[in-house]
Amino acid sequence: MQKLHELPRIADLAAFVGIVDDGGFAESARRRGVSASTLSRSVTRLEEQLKVTLLRRTTRSIEITPEGAAVLAAAREILDRSEALQEIATSGQAPAGPLRVNAPVPYVLHVLAPRLAEFRAKYPDIQLSIDMTDTLVDLIGSHADVAIRLGQLPDSDMLHRHLGRAAWKLVASPDYLDRKGWPKTPADLAQLEQVRFAAPDHINTLRFAGLPTPVTVPPAVTASNGEAVRQMVLGGLGIARFSDFMIADDIEAGRLVELFPGQLDVSPLNISALYLTRVSGLRRLGVFLDWIRTISRG
């Protein structure tokens, strides 16, 4: 049995995990602000202690060995438990440390960004890093602690928490309606134009309570970014359907008007958080999820 003082160092395990997650020594060194040779020494030390080859290294890439994959799984668990112990040891102190968040662009711009000062004031020792992508991400590959996702979640082993729901609203600018005509019934929408989302296409479908089929509206333009669609609608290009958090301020300010309130036949948009580390073992993640639920609840 390996003696206690001969067990791998936490720093070496963290270096090994980081190299695998970052896809190589150079990128991992860049992210961590250390030299590639320092990381190489950590891996060599691990291999000598464990008497296995963890990585096959070439000048361009790395390949993890079967033994390395087994060590990787154990290393992740050890690092999680180590962080949990640190949290316990500092339980009387305010939550602190880095927290990496991945979220869709519209959610960051319209929900998170306007309220983050509140979170920072309450938890000044948590260092937030926010990355914006609209697709489901690999939390390990993207170096994210938590991902905020909109819509139905795919089947997954990841931990998740329901944060709230967002209603859908069909809107247009008053100037556009003054030019094209204000619709009196949903069927009148066919005389207007629609600014469409490139994906997902279902956002462009306009179903109304009491109508057997969707209302088809001619396209004005299609865009692959929700913020671009919003700006085009604000600019008077046509109508579009948005989650309410994207256009609530625009409606309140009179820049947009809602068409046929309460008549859209569509389920609210689920807002969820996905994460890998149990909340009980990472206090900064727990307080962030509790806070974000209060601003996302619907």
Side-chain angles (χ1 to χ4, degrees):
M1 181 180 295
Q2 203 168 25
K3 295 180 181 179
L4 185 61
H5 69 273
E6 296 175 343
L7 292 175
R9 299 191 307 179
I10 292 294
D12 291 342
L13 293 173
F16 172 54
V17 171
I19 291 162
V20 174
D21 289 349
D22 294 329
F25 286 84
E27 176 62 15
S28 192
R30 184 188 69 79
R31 283 180 176 271
R32 286 157 178 76
V34 299
S35 67
S37 61
T38 297
L39 298 181
S40 181
R41 286 194 295 272
S42 288
V43 172
T44 299
R45 191 158 45 234
L46 273 178
E47 290 177 328
E48 290 174 350
Q49 286 182 299
L50 301 175
K51 296 180 173 54
V52 295
T53 299
L54 301 175
L55 299 171
R56 296 189 183 95
R57 288 168 262 187
T58 69
T59 56
R60 293 181 177 271
S61 64
I62 60 168
E63 178 185 350
I64 191 167
T65 66
E67 294 81 7
V71 172
L72 180 67
R76 291 196 195 283
E77 184 174 353
I78 291 170
L79 292 173
D80 284 346
R81 290 179 181 273
S82 174
E83 181 135 29
L85 286 173
Q86 291 176 355
E87 293 282 347
I88 292 171
T90 59
S91 59
Q93 303 174 17
L99 188 67
R100 296 157 295 189
V101 179
N102 184 284
V105 175
Y107 189 84
V108 173
L109 295 181
H110 297 284
V111 180
L112 271 183
R115 304 286 295 274
L116 272 181
E118 300 172 17
F119 183 81
R120 285 284 299 154
K122 192 171 184 180
Y123 302 106
D125 296 326
I126 296 178
Q127 295 96 47
L128 280 175
S129 175
I130 298 176
D131 187 36
M132 296 184 286
T133 54
D134 289 328
T135 57
L136 188 64
V137 298
D138 171 9
L139 289 182
I140 294 174
S142 65
H143 307 279
D145 296 303
V146 57
I148 309 302
R149 282 297 165 262
L150 309 177
Q152 189 67 31
L153 295 178
D155 291 336
S156 171
D157 293 333
M158 285 191 290
L159 301 169
H160 63 275
R161 179 182 291 188
H162 177 70
L163 299 177
R165 292 182 177 88
W168 291 99
K169 294 186 177 182
L170 180 66
V171 297
S173 72
D175 290 344
Y176 175 78
L177 296 175
D178 286 341
R179 286 187 287 111
K180 296 292 186 176
W182 290 69
K184 294 181 174 59
T185 68
D188 294 338
L189 294 171
Q191 308 304 314
L192 303 178
E193 293 176 303
Q194 183 179 21
V195 182
R196 294 187 175 178
F197 292 80
D201 185 62
H202 70 79
I203 299 180
N204 304 315
T205 302
L206 302 180
R207 296 182 182 274
F208 292 88
L211 295 183
T213 59
V215 176
T216 300
V217 182
V221 64
T222 300
S224 60
N225 178 275
E227 273 305 299
V229 173
R230 173 176 165 271
Q231 289 296 331
M232 292 174 188
V233 173
L234 286 167
L237 276 175
I239 67 172
R241 189 183 102 185
F242 296 96
S243 50
D244 59 3
F245 64 77
M246 284 189 68
I247 40 79
D249 290 343
D250 296 321
I251 292 175
E252 185 176 354
R255 294 185 293 267
L256 295 175
V257 294
E258 183 180 4
L259 300 171
F260 308 109
Q263 295 185 48
L264 274 178
D265 186 11
V266 59
S267 299
L269 184 69
N270 285 321
I271 306 172
S272 307
L274 294 87
Y275 45 96
L276 296 174
T277 303
R278 292 195 176 276
V279 174
S280 59
L282 194 62
R283 290 177 60 229
R284 58 183 177 271
L285 173 59
V287 297
F288 178 77
L289 290 176
D290 290 342
W291 173 78
I292 203 171
R293 189 172 186 179
T294 65
I295 66 171
S296 300
R297 188 173 293 134

